[in-house]
Structures are given as C-alpha cells and as structure tokens.
Amino acid sequence: MSQEKTNNKEDKKQAVILDVDGVLNSYSNSRFYFQFIFKSFRNMAKVRSRKELLKELPKLKKHGGPNALFSFAKEFCRDDYTFEAYKNNLINSLNFNLIKHDPSLRRMMKNLSNYGDICVRSDGLTDISYAAWQRVIEDRPSASIKYHLKTNKNGETFRTTDFNNQNITISGIEDNGFKVKTDLESWKKFSDKHKIDLDKSVLIDDSRDNLDTAKKLNMTTVHISKLDSLLQGTGLGTIYNHSLSDILGERLSSTLKRLKISYGKKVDLKQLFKALLQGKSEEKETANALRNNLSFER
C-alpha cells in the first residue's frame, strides 16, 4: 500500500451507520409512512401529470424498487430546479408529528456512540431523515423541524446535529449521487466524503441486500428484522428478549466490552445473540465459542 493510501486510511474513523426506515424509524409509524408515500406520488403527479407518472412507474423497479423512490423522482422531474420544488413541496406537506418519539432508542444511541461516530445513511431525502432523527430521538415538533430546515440551508447535501456531546451526520440519497446502498461505488464516495473507515465500521439495517453489499466492503453488519422494529417503543418491546432496544442497547454494549469485539471483522450474529442472552456467568464458554468468528483485541 502506498504512503498516500496509508495516510488516507489513518485519517478515517470508525462509525456506527444506521438505516432510517427499519432502525431509526419504527415500522409502528405506519400512519407517517402511508402519508409519506401518498404525498410523494401526489407531488410527482403535479410536476408533470398523473398520466405520465403512471406511464413511467415501471421504471421505478429498474432504479431499485421502493428504496430508490427519490432516484426515480429525480429523473422524473428532469431538472434540478423542478426536483428542488418537488422536494420542498413534499417536505412542507408532511406532518412529522406522526413519527413517534422513542426514549428507549435514545438510550440505545448513547450506548452505540461509545463505539464510534454515529452516521445515518438513508436512501431517502436527507431532510426527511433529519426530521425522523429529530422526532424519534429529540422529540422536536414538526413545525420546529420545518422552520429549522428552511432557515438553515447551507448548500450541503448532508446535515449534522448534536447528540450526546458529538456530531451526528445524516446523509440522504442526494448526498450519495442518488445511488442507493446496494451500489458499491456510492459507499466508497460516502467513505471518502465523511472520512469513515468502512473496514472498522458497522452497518445496522433491515435490508439484507444492503447488508450483503456492506459485507463485500468488509463492514460488520447487524440485521434488524421487521419484528424488532415493530416492537420498538411498545410495551411488548420491554418484554420480548429480541426487541431492538434489548439487542442494541445495554446488552450489546456490555457484551462488546466483555468480549472486546473489534470492528472490521465478520461476526456470526447467531452466536453473538446467543452470547447476549447468556450472561456473565458463561463468559469463558461464550468467548471460546465465538473465538473462530470474532477478532479479539489483545
């Protein structure tokens, strides 16, 4: 490896990278999702016509399906000015108060921040991802979020916010050249732009396709099921052992510290979850069982 590449690697940091839909934003926020999808298409129909939209909808599958909605919208709008107008009209029409605040996820984020910077990478719009963070984590009202979005336009395609004495980066599809997370090249550009070492970072996502792409880049991955997200923030979430907050909250935090798991190595998640449920009394047995799947710091 050349000296230049080595220095570039040293300048980068490890990070916990989160998806929005299945991790940060619970599936239980169905009212917001229905509103979001309906108004996305309604505003696209206003750009040209409903007839033209219906004619071009089959192209959405070629873009990558529902995850590439805004990549499709960008092409449908044809030019940057029209797309910007569409985006602003969509954001202004959404009621972000339909997204529920989740104190348990806020605690989880505090635990995860101990293992590196937190970055939200979404295949949706940056501003909508920012709004989801502000609602779920900070409980800010919709009107306040929209006012902030209007008065803090600095020309960047990503946003930052403060949390737990550190900056959180929120990177939407515009920030990644309108490429979705299954695009390998977009990850390399994302890594360079935000100074993130993918080898040492972890992606938490509900899409297996996204996680498979991350594995090709030697990222550590954590798959969150729809059930995990559905129980997030509910009473059942405090009872069910495999709820999102339980796996990624204090239990994961203590297990990572206890086993000294190093980021950048592939993890057998079934074994990891078994370790999470076993407890300290079986620490040695667990460590031996995981030794072939994890990299331990000496």
Side-chain angles (χ1 to χ4, degrees):
M1 184 180 290
S2 67
Q3 185 66 36
E4 182 180 348
K5 286 185 177 180
T6 302
N7 291 338
N8 185 41
K9 194 83 171 172
E10 290 175 352
D11 288 341
K12 293 182 178 180
K13 57 201 174 185
Q14 71 178 26
V16 177
I17 304 169
L18 303 169
D19 176 42
V20 173
D21 293 338
V23 180
L24 178 62
N25 209 356
S26 169
Y27 278 83
S28 62
N29 289 313
S30 56
R31 288 179 64 199
F32 175 76
Y33 280 112
F34 287 135
Q35 173 202 217
F36 161 70
I37 295 297
F38 171 72
K39 292 190 174 180
S40 294
F41 284 110
R42 190 177 71 173
N43 278 282
M44 265 192 277
K46 288 180 179 179
V47 167
R48 283 161 61 185
S49 73
R50 186 180 300 176
K51 185 176 180 179
E52 286 187 77
L53 177 59
L54 290 173
K55 184 179 179 181
E56 294 196 23
L57 268 182
K59 293 182 181 179
L60 182 58
K61 186 175 181 180
K62 294 182 180 179
H63 280 267
N67 290 337
L69 174 63
F70 292 109
S71 179
F72 168 77
K74 178 69 163 60
E75 185 178 293
F76 183 77
C77 290
R78 294 184 177 173
D79 60 74
D80 292 342
Y81 177 83
T82 305
F83 179 77
E84 193 66 21
Y86 153 77
K87 183 179 80 171
N88 290 335
N89 287 337
L90 171 62
I91 291 170
N92 288 336
S93 69
L94 293 173
N95 178 12
F96 295 116
N97 287 332
L98 294 177
I99 302 175
K100 300 173 185 177
H101 172 53
D102 191 342
S104 65
L105 261 182
R106 183 179 174 85
R107 292 192 295 271
M108 181 195 90
M109 293 300 169
K110 285 186 177 180
N111 288 327
L112 290 182
S113 65
N114 295 326
Y115 301 101
D117 290 4
I118 293 177
C119 181
V120 175
R121 181 177 172 186
S122 172
D123 287 337
L125 296 174
T126 296
D127 285 354
I128 293 178
S129 303
Y130 172 85
W133 175 277
Q134 295 296 337
R135 282 295 304 147
V136 175
I137 305 300
E138 304 294 350
D139 198 21
R140 287 182 62 180
S142 182
S144 173
I145 293 169
K146 289 182 181 180
Y147 178 79
H148 178 85
L149 291 175
K150 286 180 180 178
T151 56
N152 288 272
K153 292 188 175 181
N154 54 13
E156 297 284 5
T157 52
F158 62 93
R159 287 190 176 270
T160 58
T161 188
D162 295 327
F163 174 74
N164 202 30
N165 297 319
Q166 68 180 105
N167 283 335
I168 307 300
T169 301
I170 298 174
S171 173
I173 197 165
E174 316 100 299
D175 191 45
N176 295 286
F178 288 89
K179 301 293 185 182
V180 294
K181 281 177 281 187
T182 51
D183 185 272
L184 285 169
E185 192 61 34
S186 74
W187 276 108
K188 294 172 184 176
K189 292 179 179 178
F190 169 84
S191 169
D192 291 338
K193 184 171 189 175
H194 297 291
K195 305 297 181 186
I196 292 174
D197 188 342
L198 298 179
D199 286 348
K200 295 180 180 178
S201 296
V202 58
L203 175 66
I204 303 174
D205 204 303
D206 68 312
S207 166
R208 290 195 180 277
D209 289 340
N210 292 342
L211 296 175
D212 287 343
T213 302
K215 288 176 183 176
K216 291 177 183 177
L217 296 165
N218 203 35
M219 295 174 66
T220 301
T221 61
V222 176
H223 180 248
I224 300 301
S225 71
K226 292 184 178 182
L227 180 60
D228 295 325
S229 293
L230 183 65
L231 294 176
Q232 170 188 318
T234 69
L236 287 175
T238 62
I239 299 171
Y240 187 63
N241 281 337
H242 294 105
S243 70
L244 175 68
S245 299
D246 189 50
I247 289 177
L248 296 178
E250 295 180 4
R251 199 175 289 239
L252 175 61
S253 176
S254 61
T255 302
L256 288 177
K257 287 180 180 178
R258 173 161 53 87
L259 298 177
K260 296 182 178 178
I261 296 172
S262 175
Y263 282 136
K265 301 296 181 182
K266 293 182 179 179
V267 178
D268 185 328
L269 287 179
K270 290 183 179 179
Q271 292 289 345
L272 177 58
F273 290 169
K274 182 179 178 182
L276 292 172
L277 296 172
Q278 281 180 332
K280 295 182 179 179
S281 62
E282 298 179 69
E283 178 177 336
K284 291 183 179 179
E285 181 182 341
T286 301
N288 290 331
L290 295 177
R291 193 170 297 278
N292 292 329
N293 300 302
L294 302 175
S295 172
F296 292 87
E297 297 172 351
R298 301 297 179 187

